[in-house]
Amino acid sequence: MIINIPVDVEKIINRLEERGFEAYAVGGCIRDSLMDSKPNDWDICTSAQPEQVINCFEDYHVIETGVKHGTVTVRLNGQSYEITTYRIDGEYLDNRRPENVQFVNSIQEDLARRDFTMNAMAYNSGKGLVDYYKGCNDLKDGIIRCVGKADERFKEDALRIIRALRFASVFGFTIEKETSESIHHNKNLIKNIAKERINVELCKLLSGKGVKEILKNYSDILSVMIPEIKPMIGFQQNNPHHKYDVWEHTIAAVENSVSEPIIRLAVLLHDIGKPECYTCDGRGIGHFYSHGEFGAKIAEKILRDLKFDNQTISDVCQLIKYHDADISENSKFIKKWLNKIGIVQFERLLLVKQADVMGQSDYLKEKKLKTLANIQSTMSKILEEKQCFTLKQLAVNGNDLIKIGIHDGKIIGEILNWLLEQVMENQLENKKDTLIIAAKKIIIEL
Ligand code: ATP
Ligand code: MG
C-alpha cells in the first residue's frame, strides 16, 4: 500500500528519522488518503519529546502550540504541521479532556488512544501502513468502530459520540453494533460537551450524504443535542398534504435539500413549531396555523444556545418563519419578496420550500413543485432584466425630490416607497421623468 505524502510532510518525517526518532503521518490524513480524498491537514506523530522536536527544527519557524500535550507546530512553505509526541491520555474527569497526558515510546500505544479504527492508522514511506486496529478493513467496509471498548471510549470523551455520527453521515458509513449501542447508552454524556463543538459537528453531520440514516437511527442523540426536536418525533399530522409524522417528514425534507449549512439548518428546524401549533378541525384534519412564525422563535433559542453567529441565526429563522408562506407566481409579488428579504434569502426560501414539498405526500405535489419552478424562472427573469425592486434601483432618489421642492424627510421617504411600489406593480415605468411627474402629482393630492 502506497500513500502519496506531500513533499513537505516527507521532509519533516525524514528530518526526525535522521535524528534517530520515529515519525509517521497519522490520523485523518491517512484515512482520507486511503479514501482517495484530499486531507484537510497532515498531522505527524513521533517518538521525539517536544523539546527534541523543537531542537530538530531549529532552522524552521516553530510554534510551541501545546507542548504540555506534546504538540509542536512547524511552519513550512506557508503551511502549519502539527507534530505530536506519542502519548497516552491521563484520566478523564469531565467526559471531555484528559487531566494530563503521558508520553510513551510506542506508536501502538499512541494509536490506541485515538477514537475510531479508521482514524488510528499511521504511515511513512519506509515502514508503510501501521494499522494495529484493522482500520483499513473497516474503512473498506464503511464501518465506524471504536478503538477498544466503546463504552470506555465514550465515557472518556463524549465528543466522540458526535464525531461518530458526523463521520457516519459525511462518509455514508454505518456504525458497528457495539459502538452504536454504546452511543445510545451514553448519549446523555454529550450534555458535558461545549456548545461550540456540538455546533461544528452538527453542521458537518447535516451536510453529509448519510444524513438520512443518522437522523432516522440516532434521533435520540439529536434530541439530547437539541431537546426541542423530541416532540416532533412520532407527531402525527392527520393532513392530506402529509404521509409522514413531523420528524419523518423533516428527515425526508433534509435529505432532499441542498447541502449547504443555512439551508440544512433551516430545513431541520422548519417544522419545530408544529407540535405546539396543532389544531384539529371538525373533519378530523390537522392544522398548524402560524407554525412558521412560532417555529422561528424556538429555532432562535436553539441556535443561540448552540452559539451560532447572529447572521446565521437571523437567516435561518427568517427562512423558517416564511417557509410555509404562500408565494404567488405573479412577478409583482415576487418583486415584493425580493424587496422584503433580498435575493440570497429568497433563493434559499425557494430551496427550503422545495425540500419541504419533497418530504410531503403526493397530494398536489407536482403542482406545488411546478409553482416553485415558475417562481424560480420568473425571479431569474426579473434579475436578468434588472427589473426594479429596491429603492436603490429606483430612477429617482431623495435629492431629486428635494429639487422639486419636497423637503420633509418623512414625506420624501413615503413618496419614494410609493413610487417603488408603483414601479414594482408595473403601474409606472422606472424612468426619471415619469417618476418626477408622478411625484409632483401625488404631492398636490397630499
Ligand atoms: P477532520 O480533520 O476531517 O475533521 P480528523 O479525524 O482528522 O477529521 P482531527 O480533529 O483533525 O479530526 O483529529 C486528528 C486525529 O486525532 C483523528 O484522526 C484521531 O486520530 C484523533 N482524534 C481527534 N479527536 C479525537 C477524540 N476526540 N478522541 C480520540 N482521538 C481523537
Ligand atoms: Mg484533521
Side-chain angles (χ1 to χ4, degrees), residues 151-164:
D151 255 359
E152 283 171 20
R153 305 313 311 279
F154 291 134
K155 284 200 170 84
E156 283 170 359
D157 179 0
L159 181 67
R160 292 169 188 157
I161 293 177
I162 319 178
R163 274 172 63 89

Side-chain angles (χ1 to χ4, degrees), residues 372-384:
L372 287 172
N374 290 344
I375 295 170
Q376 172 74 47
S377 69
T378 306
M379 178 190 69
S380 301
K381 188 162 168 273
I382 291 169
L383 297 180
E384 243 165 60

Side-chain angles (χ1 to χ4, degrees), residues 199 202-203 206 260-266 269 296 299-300 302-304 306-320 345 348:
N199 172 326
L202 177 68
C203 287
L206 285 177
E260 195 247 303
I262 303 265
I263 303 280
R264 288 258 156 127
L265 282 167
L269 302 176
E300 183 176 350
I302 294 170
L303 298 172
R304 220 166 269 299
L306 289 176
K307 313 279 183 208
F308 279 91
D309 61 276
N310 288 338
Q311 189 64 52
T312 301
I313 295 174
S314 105
D315 287 350
V316 171
C317 292
Q318 187 176 55
L319 296 172
I320 295 172
Q345 277 290 90
R348 286 179 180 150

Side-chain angles (χ1 to χ4, degrees), residues 28 52 95 98 100 116 230 278 290 305 325 351 387 434 445:
Q52 293 172 316
N95 313 115
N100 49 58
F116 307 113
K230 213 167 177 184
Y278 183 76
S290 304
D305 188 45
L351 292 172
Q387 291 185 36
T434 316
E445 285 172 23

